[in-house]
Amino acid sequence: MKKFLSIATATILTCSLLAGCGSSGSSGSQASSGGGSSSPSSQAEGTGGSIADEIVIAKQSDGYTFDPTIVDDNGAVWLYDLFLEGLVKPSDDGKEIIPCLADDWKLSDDGLTYTFNLKPGIKFADGTDVTADDWIFTFERAKAATEGNWTFAAKDIESVTSPSENVLEVKLSQPNAAMLSNFSNFNMCVQSKAFFEANSYDNSVPMGTGPYFASSWEKEQEIIFDKNPYYHIEGEPKTSRLTVKIVPDDESRVMQLQAGEVDLICDVPFSSMQVLDVADGIKTSAVPSMSNRYLVLNVRDQILGNDKVREALVYGTNKQEIVDMVLYGYGKPAVSYMPEGGLFYNDTIKAKEYDVEKAKALLAEAGYPDGFDIEFYVRSGNAVFEQIATIIKDQWAKLGVNVTLTTLETATLLDLQYAGDFQVLVGSWTDDIPDPVSLSEYIFVHDVSEGFTTGYNNPEAEELFNKSQQQLDESEREKSYFELQQILYDDAPLINLYHQDICCAMKDSVDGFVQIPLGKYRFNNLVKTAE
């Protein structure tokens, strides 16, 4: 049994360092990998055993869709690296952009034209060639899908052409400092135009160039990923088949691993990690993630629209207690709205430490010396959100704030949230690309989401954000993002609660596990010693 705690303790696979799209100079949480091909007769390096044909994985949720232009669910997003690839991709530590289907690229002096030199001979998993038409189709769909949340990645693209074989030229309408990172977003990963026209994405998974392809998908039950026989990295993937079972109940997933019914489980409850960590034949993985949890405060509300009330609630929220009781230590209290360790993270913000008396004084200044009543919406079935709400209720009671917890089905709660008909609820965000543009736009550009649905509207901050997107000088852009983080912390439409780890567990016989801080699974070298 062994435990993987952080990027710093992970072993970097030699084969990953040498392989094109799978390469990076740093890694997410991972195990040492077996060598050889995915044949069951091949030897798993360091184990003396052969590699199994299949690995069975249990995870909490399925994607309601795998259409990368409209998906809004990590149940699908974190699987994309199994079957989709783009021109570039995030490194395994989630901090850099590295080559993928493009060997290299250059940006014109005016910041308007990217020229990518593509890897030759790339095929989709069905054996058809990737053409310029597929790239054009992919980028045009990404830009046109205004009903999705990901158009930011393609909105500045003016044209896509292929001036010569294995060269792709992308012209922008204006300079975009985040554009290279945007090219790594899942909606910008090349998809087969012919496959889409024949199948659409209503009940199918896109055809891409990744190490696997989805050979079957039974919604809310199971997805089977088979090895891409045309994959462009020799010797990968190592395992022939990944069977992903959807097991919504947390306890059931844990029990299935303990019983040997599955080989690997994702979305492990924090409360189960210590139990699994000492279990015979099982090892755990805890990845410091680019993921945040927030209290979403509706500033349209008469009470919560008061700046001093929100500041009081910040002082009255004991974040460390939440981390200890909800995460069992698998995370850290948050100050910034951005993930700790991410690009442009501001570590100079002076935190408002937990102080009940300070909070009471601010409430008195705001005209609420005896506190007030407030309603907190909680998603039904989400144990973590329920725990957070219960702890907040007890903490805020010390300020004289009487919290009523109202549990709602997810669909109902989201309808009320997007309509602005709520007071307090829990929100979450996980970055999908290294650049903080997506989350920042979601908060500061009012027309995108009305300030993460809070109703927050700060024209000066929105102008600063828009300016930052054309600052090609990284140092200047960093200054803008530092200022944006300070502004949001002071205005407090969101109370930044914590940065959490992503927890998984697996049999000791499983090696080569990689999950990057952005959440995506990279299973090119995932193997299991045959039993």
Side-chain angles (χ1 to χ4, degrees):
M1 185 281 290
K2 57 184 174 180
K3 179 177 181 181
F4 310 102
L5 284 175
S6 68
I7 292 170
T9 61
T11 301
I12 300 174
L13 301 174
T14 302
C15 56
S16 290
L17 288 170
L18 298 177
C21 194
S23 67
S24 76
S26 51
S27 79
S29 180
Q30 55 178 259
S32 57
S33 171
S37 71
S38 60
S39 165
S41 63
S42 62
Q43 295 296 305
E45 184 178 342
T47 66
S50 60
I51 295 175
D53 273 334
E54 179 184 29
I55 294 177
V56 180
I57 301 165
K59 62 193 298 288
Q60 184 179 53
S61 63
D62 194 5
Y64 69 91
T65 178
F66 280 94
D67 184 341
T69 66
I70 61 173
V71 67
D72 195 18
D73 179 4
N74 284 338
V77 169
W78 289 2
L79 292 171
Y80 276 135
D81 275 14
L82 299 185
F83 57 92
L84 291 182
E85 296 175 320
L87 295 165
V88 294
K89 66 183 291 185
S91 57
D92 281 356
D93 65 4
K95 295 181 180 181
E96 298 178 276
I97 293 297
I98 61 175
C100 191
L101 295 183
D103 281 324
D104 53 55
W105 57 86
K106 65 179 180 180
L107 177 62
S108 62
D109 291 340
D110 60 7
L112 294 176
T113 303
Y114 279 90
T115 303
F116 294 92
N117 293 311
L118 305 178
K119 294 180 183 295
I122 300 297
K123 294 181 181 292
F124 290 112
D126 61 1
T128 59
D129 293 332
V130 176
T131 69
D133 282 346
D134 295 305
W135 285 108
I136 293 169
F137 157 77
T138 297
F139 290 168
E140 286 183 346
R141 279 199 83 237
K143 184 175 181 177
T146 54
E147 70 275 24
N149 292 322
W150 318 110
T151 52
F152 74 89
K155 66 181 177 65
D156 288 334
I157 293 180
E158 189 171 84
S159 66
V160 182
T161 58
S162 180
S164 60
E165 187 177 9
N166 297 322
V167 175
L168 196 70
E169 187 174 271
V170 182
K171 292 188 176 181
L172 308 181
S173 58
Q174 61 181 353
N176 185 329
M179 196 64 214
L180 190 61
S181 197
N182 291 347
F183 282 124
S184 74
N185 202 51
F186 45 82
N187 65 331
M188 305 288 274
C189 291
V190 68
Q191 301 140 56
S192 167
K193 179 181 179 182
F195 180 88
F196 174 80
E197 291 174 344
N199 299 275
S200 79
Y201 293 153
D202 292 339
N203 294 291
S204 63
V205 178
M207 180 63 65
T209 66
Y212 290 94
F213 69 97
S215 57
S216 71
W217 177 27
E218 187 179 352
K219 286 189 176 182
E220 301 299 331
Q221 297 294 322
E222 180 180 271
I223 314 169
I224 295 178
F225 292 101
D226 282 326
K227 178 179 180 177
N228 175 1
Y230 303 97
Y231 195 48
H232 55 93
I233 300 178
E234 185 177 357
E236 296 184 13
K238 296 290 191 292
T239 298
S240 295
R241 170 170 287 186
L242 305 178
T243 297
V244 180
K245 295 183 177 294
I246 309 305
V247 184
D249 184 73
D250 290 342
E251 186 175 347
S252 294
R253 287 196 308 283
V254 172
M255 292 175 64
Q256 287 179 9
L257 179 63
Q258 291 173 321
E261 297 171 13
V262 300
D263 303 307
L264 189 158
I265 61 172
C266 307
D267 317 301
V268 176
F270 300 108
S271 58
S272 299
M273 285 291 284
Q274 292 177 342
V275 173
L276 292 173
D277 189 43
V278 297
D280 289 339
I282 292 174
K283 55 191 175 185
T284 61
S285 164
V287 183
S289 73
M290 303 294 190
S291 180
N292 280 12
R293 296 296 180 270
Y294 313 93
L295 293 183
V296 181
L297 309 181
N298 190 346
V299 302
R300 310 173 193 87
D301 180 80
Q302 182 177 354
I303 298 173
L304 296 173
N306 188 308
D307 294 347
K308 290 189 180 296
V309 167
R310 298 197 304 278
E311 185 178 8
L313 296 180
V314 173
Y315 277 110
T317 300
N318 187 339
K319 299 175 184 180
Q320 186 62 57
E321 183 179 43
I322 294 172
V323 168
D324 293 340
M325 296 181 68
V326 176
L327 304 184
Y328 290 79
Y330 287 97
K332 295 181 179 180
V335 179
S336 168
Y337 73 88
M338 286 168 48
E340 187 178 34
L343 186 65
F344 306 138
Y345 175 77
N346 186 348
D347 58 1
T348 68
I349 297 174
K350 184 178 180 180
K352 295 179 172 70
E353 302 294 346
Y354 180 58
D355 188 333
V356 172
E357 295 307 314
K358 176 71 172 178
K360 287 181 177 179
L362 285 165
L363 288 180
E365 289 181 39
Y368 299 98
D370 300 319
F372 50 81
D373 296 335
I374 201 162
E375 189 170 21
F376 193 133
Y377 287 167
V378 187
R379 293 191 193 189
S380 175
N382 190 314
V384 169
F385 285 13
E386 289 172 357
Q387 285 180 284
I388 292 171
T390 301
I391 294 169
I392 291 295
K393 177 182 174 68
D394 291 341
Q395 290 181 357
W396 288 2
K398 298 173 184 176
L399 316 181
V401 176
N402 178 39
V403 177
T404 298
L405 302 182
T406 301
T407 301
L408 300 169
E409 293 296 326
T410 297
T412 302
L413 185 149
L414 290 176
D415 285 344
L416 292 170
Q417 179 179 358
Y418 293 137
D421 188 10
F422 70 96
Q423 287 185 296
V424 183
L425 48 81
V426 180
S428 62
W429 184 277
T430 303
D431 277 337
D432 298 300
I433 58 176
D435 197 280
V437 56
S438 180
L439 172 57
S440 300
E441 181 182 68
Y442 198 72
I443 293 172
F444 293 109
V445 179
H446 187 72
D447 288 346
V448 171
S449 72
E450 296 190 17
F452 211 112
T453 73
T454 64
Y456 176 67
N457 188 9
N458 185 326
E460 290 79 16
E462 182 170 345
E463 182 180 355
L464 178 61
F465 168 76
N466 288 332
K467 178 182 176 183
S468 74
Q469 298 318 292
Q470 296 191 38
Q471 290 175 319
L472 300 183
D473 184 320
E474 289 282 286
S475 62
E476 290 301 312
R477 194 158 177 252
E478 181 180 65
K479 291 178 184 177
S480 295
Y481 269 104
F482 268 46
E483 187 175 348
L484 286 170
Q485 291 168 78
Q486 185 69 61
I487 288 170
L488 195 78
Y489 188 73
D490 293 340
D491 290 350
L494 301 170
I495 297 180
N496 312 315
L497 292 179
Y498 59 74
H499 314 290
Q500 70 175 60
D501 292 350
I502 307 173
C503 296
C504 295
M506 66 209 76
K507 294 179 179 178
D508 274 346
S509 57
V510 174
D511 282 307
F513 174 86
V514 176
Q515 184 172 22
I516 69 174
L518 298 167
K520 296 174 183 176
Y521 306 113
R522 292 189 172 165
F523 291 166
N524 296 45
N525 295 290
L526 188 70
V527 295
K528 181 183 74 169
T529 305
E531 299 173 353

